[in-house]
């Protein structure tokens, strides 16, 4: 059970709720290892609507639904739905709510998740609404940090290199700002650092925020979280081209550093492949937590006893 019907923003995810989701995730992980599949969602259908490119989120939600024996209905791009004909998000959601017991949607429009959740008669999960938020990714990311470091408070975290447009960074920082004594250092070119309003909101939640334009890792950094420059969201392509090669994490930045290295992936230019062999590079492991986390979310939002 969760105290909300739909997940739109990681601001909904208090430390208490995160504890519940992590416990459920551990149970799901045990279940994957022991029996592989269960019949928990035998009586349910999950709708997966992906109107922006996705591989990890789409496939791990599909895998999560199948591991719990739910049926799925699926729409992968706008061209194959009535969106192409001009149908509104509200109308689409009204229809799909009649076909499924829970809706997962990724959409290019920031704020589309809130509109969909308001309209839907069934639980709704935001799988990314444009450059706004990606709360299920933030749960995976915080689960990874907790599993490897053992806490979500008193952390020094570095975020690069497009905190302005990365919905993964938005959602993870909003989640972690709810824990005490976290410091966020945002690294990137001036044009891609978070805006004043966003930083103000994080600071109001209690996080300390620092900005920095050069790639340099502090010795006391606990977590380095990088995400590709969000190519599809640039108004000025020159800013993307100018910075994509400049902002890359390489082994020379990491000599003697203990920080855990995360990336929601896909990797484009932001991490050199030479980093992959470092013990603290956990981004592929991080991606693997997507299935048990999303199984937990589906089960909890569908009010199943675990
Ligand atoms: C992220 C996304 O879609 O925002 N990917 C993901 O879900 N793992 C990160 C990205 O696309 O850069």
């Amino acid at each position: 059970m969760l105290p909300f019907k739909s997940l739109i923003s990681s601001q909904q995810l208090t430390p208490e709720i995160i504890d519940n989701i992590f416990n459920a995730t551990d149970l799901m992980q045990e279940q994957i290892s022991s029996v592989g599949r269960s019949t928990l969602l035998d009586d349910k259908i999950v709708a997966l609507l992906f109107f922006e490119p996705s591989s990890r989120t789409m496939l791990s939600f599909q895998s999560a639904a199948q591991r719990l024996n739910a049926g799925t209905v699926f729409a992968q791009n706008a061209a194959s739905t009535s969106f192409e004909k001009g149908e509104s998000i509200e109308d689409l959601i009204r229809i799909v709510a009649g076909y499924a017991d829970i809706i997962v949607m990724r959409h290019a429009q920031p704020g589309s998740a809130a509109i969909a959740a308001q309209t839907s008669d069934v639980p709704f999960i935001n799988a990314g609404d444009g450059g706004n938020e990606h709360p299920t990714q933030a749960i995976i990311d915080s689960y990874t940090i907790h599993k490897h470091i053992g806490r979500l408070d008193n952390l020094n975290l570095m975020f690069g290199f497009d905190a302005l447009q990365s919905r993964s960074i938005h959602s993870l920082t909003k989640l972690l700002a709810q824990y005490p004594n976290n410091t966020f250092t945002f690294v990137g070119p001036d044009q891609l650092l978070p805006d004043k309003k966003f930083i103000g909101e994080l600071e109001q939640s209690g996080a300390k925020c620092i900005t920095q334009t050069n790639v340099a890792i502090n010795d006391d950094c606990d977590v380095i979280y990088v995400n590709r420059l969000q190519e599809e969201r640039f108004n000025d392509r020159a800013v993307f081209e100018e910075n994509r090669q400049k902002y890359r994490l390489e082994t020379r930045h990491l000599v003697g550093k203990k920080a855990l290295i995360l990336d929601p992936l896909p990797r484009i230019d932001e991490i050199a492949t030479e980093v992959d062999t470092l013990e603290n590079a956990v981004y592929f492991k991080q991606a693997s937590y997507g299935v048990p986390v999303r199984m937990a979310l589906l089960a909890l939002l569908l009010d199943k006893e675990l």
Side-chain angles (χ1 to χ4, degrees):
M1 271 284 265
L2 291 173
F4 44 76
K5 185 178 120 193
S6 294
L7 177 60
I8 305 157
S9 162
S10 62
Q11 258 161 338
Q12 295 167 265
L13 301 168
T14 62
E16 195 188 335
I17 293 170
I18 282 292
D19 279 350
N20 286 344
I21 298 174
F22 284 4
N23 289 336
T25 301
D26 289 339
L27 285 176
M28 294 300 165
Q29 185 60 66
E30 274 169 41
Q31 191 193 289
I32 294 173
S33 312
S34 58
V35 291
R37 278 175 88 146
S38 83
T39 53
L40 192 69
L41 298 186
D42 247 352
D43 56 337
K44 302 294 183 193
I45 291 181
V46 180
L48 301 164
L49 311 177
F50 280 83
F51 302 133
E52 259 197 336
S54 176
S55 24
R56 270 150 294 272
T57 307
M58 186 178 73
L59 293 174
S60 61
F61 260 117
Q62 211 172 6
S63 172
Q66 290 187 11
R67 288 227 181 253
L68 297 170
N69 231 24
T72 52
V73 289
F74 190 60
Q76 191 171 6
N77 57 51
S80 65
T81 70
S82 293
F83 259 136
E84 190 73 347
K85 303 177 191 164
E87 190 175 35
S88 68
I89 293 171
E90 287 93 331
D91 283 1
L92 179 88
I93 293 294
R94 274 185 201 110
I95 303 302
V96 176
Y99 298 164
D101 302 291
I102 186 164
I103 300 174
V104 178
M105 183 177 83
R106 169 170 290 189
H107 192 284
Q109 186 185 312
S112 53
I115 295 171
Q118 262 164 29
T119 312
S120 181
D121 285 339
V122 300
F124 174 88
I125 299 177
N126 178 9
D129 60 331
N132 185 35
E133 280 228 36
H134 193 357
T136 67
Q137 183 65 47
I139 300 171
I140 296 165
D141 301 339
S142 53
Y143 183 79
T144 309
I145 296 169
H146 191 262
K147 210 159 176 74
H148 291 262
I149 300 185
R151 62 177 197 278
L152 293 178
D153 54 14
N154 291 289
L155 292 170
N156 282 314
L157 302 105
M158 192 208 99
F159 290 95
F161 296 109
D162 184 1
L164 181 70
Q165 302 175 110
S166 164
R167 58 190 172 200
S168 296
I169 295 179
H170 296 164
S171 285
L172 182 58
T173 50
K174 284 182 185 180
L175 190 158
L176 291 175
Q178 301 186 48
Y179 289 80
N181 296 321
N182 285 331
T183 301
F184 305 148
T185 303
F186 295 102
V187 179
D190 273 327
Q191 303 97 313
L192 301 180
L193 292 170
D195 58 37
K196 282 208 176 77
K197 181 170 170 279
F198 188 76
I199 292 210
E201 283 164 9
L202 292 177
E203 285 177 336
Q204 204 151 28
S205 304
K208 188 173 166 210
C209 295
I210 298 163
T211 57
Q212 178 182 308
T213 53
N214 63 321
V215 183
I217 316 294
N218 291 333
D219 285 339
D220 64 353
C221 181
D222 299 298
V223 177
I224 302 169
Y225 187 98
V226 289
N227 189 192
R228 70 187 170 96
L229 302 195
Q230 303 285 293
E231 183 176 2
E232 67 277 33
R233 309 199 199 286
F234 277 79
N235 291 326
D236 183 354
R237 184 135 191 113
V239 178
F240 169 70
E241 292 298 346
E242 189 191 323
N243 291 298
R244 58 182 300 186
Q245 303 288 334
K246 263 196 223 164
Y247 287 89
R248 181 203 307 273
L249 193 65
E250 296 171 359
T251 46
R252 69 188 167 93
H253 300 118
L254 297 163
V255 178
K257 314 286 177 189
K258 296 184 307 285
L260 202 65
I261 305 161
L262 278 79
D263 185 333
L265 304 173
R267 180 228 313 262
I268 308 299
D269 301 304
E270 74 282 6
I271 302 186
T273 51
E274 63 187 19
V275 176
D276 297 0
T277 54
L278 300 185
E279 207 181 308
N280 293 337
V282 295
Y283 27 93
F284 296 118
K285 190 90 196 127
Q286 176 191 356
S288 77
Y289 298 136
V291 175
V293 163
R294 288 174 170 132
M295 288 168 77
L297 281 173
L298 290 174
L300 291 169
L301 284 169
L302 287 165
D303 288 342
K304 291 290 182 182
E305 288 288 332
L306 300 181

